[in-house]
Amino acid sequence: GFPRFCQNQKMSRRKFESPRHGSLGFLPRKRCIRHRGKVKSFPKDNAAVAPHLTAFMGYKAGMTHVCRELNQPGSTLHKKEIVEAVTIIECPPMVVVGLVGYIETPLGLRTLATVFAEHLDEQFKRRMYKNWYRSKRKAYTKYVQKYQDKNKPIERDLKRRKSYPQELVQHLHQYHQQQARQKQLDRKST
């Protein structure tokens, strides 16, 4: 047992008597608000560069390890092989489904014209509905008729967007390769 001078004293450290369960770094332990994630900040817009994607969606698919040669002069492991943990990120292909042109106003950016593609994938339309199998699936059917219109409203919108070269946002959607259960596609504006 304990020595005589310790017998009456009780060990009163929480560390030993009632330790925590789990790391505080993962609090609050609850379901995430959004599955897709969100781009917190886009890079500054450079007008001299041609329009391009400023963000791309990827999903953490898992982790593994790699064996590589360390190239760090001064280290004891220089030119030796080390094993490191790596994260595998799945980046399904992204498809542009529409464009939004913005114009600068004293109050900030305002939408000038929105143009969607003529042929939209069924998986993209599925995202627009809360209940796909019970719906009549009429989304974008009237919009497609604009492409056959004699007045050419689509070309007019594209010309308007070119005449005010302020800012352009692309509507994108992604095809899922690994997640076969998810039939709705993720959509993003960049």
Side-chain angles (χ1 to χ4, degrees):
F2 286 111
R4 192 177 292 264
F5 63 88
C6 271
Q7 277 181 350
N8 297 335
Q9 294 178 352
K10 228 179 152 194
M11 206 188 293
S12 61
R13 308 236 168 168
R14 185 191 159 107
K15 182 177 179 181
F16 300 111
E17 291 191 356
S18 171
R20 275 204 47 77
H21 302 295
S23 169
L24 290 167
F26 294 100
L27 289 180
R29 287 185 177 280
K30 62 177 186 177
R31 287 189 185 274
C32 62
I33 295 166
R34 64 185 78 82
H35 163 70
R36 273 198 319 280
K38 185 171 135 186
V39 181
K40 296 292 192 322
S41 65
F42 286 99
K44 273 261 187 230
D45 191 34
N46 188 359
V49 181
H52 61 282
L53 287 177
T54 51
F56 200 90
M57 279 200 293
Y59 301 87
K60 181 176 175 179
M63 290 189 77
T64 184
H65 58 275
V66 293
C67 186
R68 71 178 185 94
E69 191 178 281
L70 185 68
N71 186 17
Q72 195 174 343
S75 173
T76 54
L77 296 172
H78 181 57
K79 298 281 185 189
K80 290 193 172 78
E81 284 191 346
I82 59 166
V83 177
E84 276 188 333
V86 291
T87 303
I88 299 167
I89 298 174
E90 179 196 344
C91 294
M94 288 181 107
V95 180
V96 177
V97 292
L99 302 171
V100 182
Y102 289 93
I103 187 168
E104 193 99 31
T105 66
L107 300 172
L109 291 173
R110 178 180 69 78
T111 306
L112 179 70
T114 304
V115 178
F116 278 95
E118 185 176 359
H119 303 290
L120 295 171
D121 197 33
E122 184 196 302
Q123 289 177 320
F124 172 73
K125 289 181 188 173
R126 208 181 251 274
R127 175 59 76 178
M128 300 297 150
Y129 286 93
K130 187 174 182 182
N131 198 338
W132 173 255
Y133 79 94
R134 206 177 280 170
S135 66
K136 293 183 179 164
R137 302 170 192 192
K138 302 283 281 179
Y140 296 100
T141 51
K142 288 185 179 176
Y143 190 86
V144 170
Q145 290 168 4
K146 286 186 180 181
Y147 280 93
Q148 280 84 40
D149 196 355
K150 300 273 190 235
N151 298 331
K152 311 244 174 155
I154 300 290
E155 288 180 20
R156 188 181 67 233
D157 283 347
L158 286 171
K159 281 180 185 172
R160 274 179 70 205
R161 201 212 60 72
K162 283 180 185 172
S163 60
Y164 298 98
Q166 294 294 330
E167 196 166 317
L168 174 71
V169 173
Q170 295 178 336
H171 286 300
L172 305 156
H173 79 262
Q174 255 183 338
Y175 291 103
H176 282 284
Q177 294 165 329
Q178 298 293 335
Q179 298 174 344
R181 293 171 307 177
Q182 184 176 345
K183 292 180 182 173
Q184 288 184 348
L185 293 173
D186 290 332
R187 58 194 164 100
K188 201 71 166 175
S189 298
T190 59

